[in-house]
Amino acid sequence: MDPVDPVREGTRSGGSAGTGTPAVRTAPTVPAPVRGEHTHAGPAPRRARTLVRRSSVRGQVLDALRTALVTGELRPGEVYSAPALGERFGVSATPVREAMQQLAQEGAVEVVPNRGFRVVERGARELAELAEIRALIEVPVLLRLARTVPAERWAELRPLAEATVRAAAAGSRATYAEADRAFHRAVLALAGNEQLVRIADDLHRRAQWPPAGGPAGRGRADLVADAREHTALLDALTAADPDLARTLIADHFTPGCRTP
């Protein structure tokens, strides 16, 4: 299958479609669909294979679109057509439209009747509100975990923290966004509350979408500083230094200051 390479239909609010803007450079490729596994010797039912293929393509298109949102390739305020994106993906418009509908549920885009989907324009206030909600949810949990989780469990998270540092040093916003969320998910998972992890991860993802004007405000140095807070926090937790850990946790979740 052709590479997943979403491209803008290039219509800002009130503009016209089909301006031929550059393709999204950071989108991953869509490999051949994975066949379902079956325990019987005969061929798989046609419907089952179709469902696996459709779900696989839709999921990979969704991942590509999320990457494009984080990197700013899908620009706030612009409208994107499912057929145009589907043509670039080498798929029909259906999985693209379904992926866009999922993004609409997440608040990343909004439906524009008879035109496509417009990327939501986010202001500084909305991003600050998301950061505040994250702090209200995650900080109390982290403070409790700092008192109850043994040092060896914190040490197990070191590879995830170091992955965020490598991604930040490389300057890849998309890779850093994934690594950042993976680290926070692993930390919160220590609380044993799956609903907490799911809700916090959704809020974290929303906070990673850049504001109107693109991601220029958060450069490599900002990402590196953010990532190093992960390793510093693990150092404090591994050393059983709750006072330092409390300070680092509070700093990391300062509203409006930690939206990579």
Side-chain angles (χ1 to χ4, degrees):
M1 186 173 293
D2 292 338
V4 171
D5 191 12
V7 71
R8 286 201 301 275
E9 191 188 19
T11 57
R12 288 192 178 273
S13 179
S16 59
T19 58
T21 49
V24 172
R25 297 180 299 276
T26 57
T29 58
V30 175
V34 179
R35 292 181 179 272
E37 295 183 356
H38 306 279
T39 56
H40 58 273
R46 182 180 181 84
R47 177 175 173 79
R49 290 198 300 269
T50 301
L51 289 176
V52 169
R53 181 178 298 111
R54 179 174 176 179
S55 175
S56 175
V57 173
R58 181 178 65 242
Q60 291 176 75
V61 170
L62 179 59
D63 288 343
L65 292 173
R66 283 173 169 164
T67 295
L69 282 169
V70 171
T71 60
E73 295 287 347
L74 292 182
R75 299 184 64 82
E78 295 195 9
V79 176
Y80 299 84
S81 162
L85 291 173
E87 183 177 353
R88 298 296 303 188
F89 286 6
V91 300
S92 71
T94 299
V96 179
R97 190 173 291 111
E98 291 173 346
M100 281 292 199
Q101 291 287 355
Q102 175 62 39
L103 290 175
Q105 293 179 17
E106 296 176 4
V109 301
E110 56 188 9
V111 177
V112 181
N114 302 319
R115 293 177 61 195
F117 302 85
R118 178 183 292 113
V119 178
V120 173
E121 298 186 80
R122 298 175 178 277
R125 177 175 179 177
E126 182 176 357
L127 292 174
E129 290 173 348
L130 285 168
E132 182 179 10
I133 296 171
R134 285 189 63 207
L136 290 172
I137 293 175
E138 295 191 45
V139 169
V141 176
L142 286 172
L143 291 176
R144 174 166 58 85
L145 292 174
R147 297 191 302 269
T148 59
V149 174
E152 57 269 20
R153 293 296 303 278
W154 293 119
E156 293 173 0
L157 303 185
R158 178 72 56 180
L160 292 175
E162 292 175 348
T164 68
V165 174
R166 289 193 300 272
S172 171
R173 291 180 56 83
T175 303
Y176 179 77
E178 290 297 327
D180 186 27
R181 292 205 327 279
F183 173 77
H184 281 267
R185 283 197 304 268
V187 170
L188 293 176
L190 295 175
N193 188 326
E194 294 182 3
Q195 297 302 317
L196 167 69
V197 175
R198 185 176 296 111
I199 291 171
D201 189 56
D202 179 64
L203 289 168
H204 196 168
R205 186 192 300 279
R206 292 170 184 252
Q208 290 175 329
W209 297 327
R218 291 281 286 168
R220 180 179 301 183
D222 298 306
L223 297 183
V224 170
D226 192 69
R228 285 177 176 167
E229 290 182 2
H230 296 154
T231 55
L233 175 59
L234 282 185
D235 288 340
L237 293 168
T238 304
D241 188 341
D243 292 333
L244 177 57
R246 186 180 300 109
T247 299
L248 292 171
I249 290 169
D251 289 345
H252 194 64
F253 285 93
T254 300
C257 295
R258 291 289 179 261
T259 50

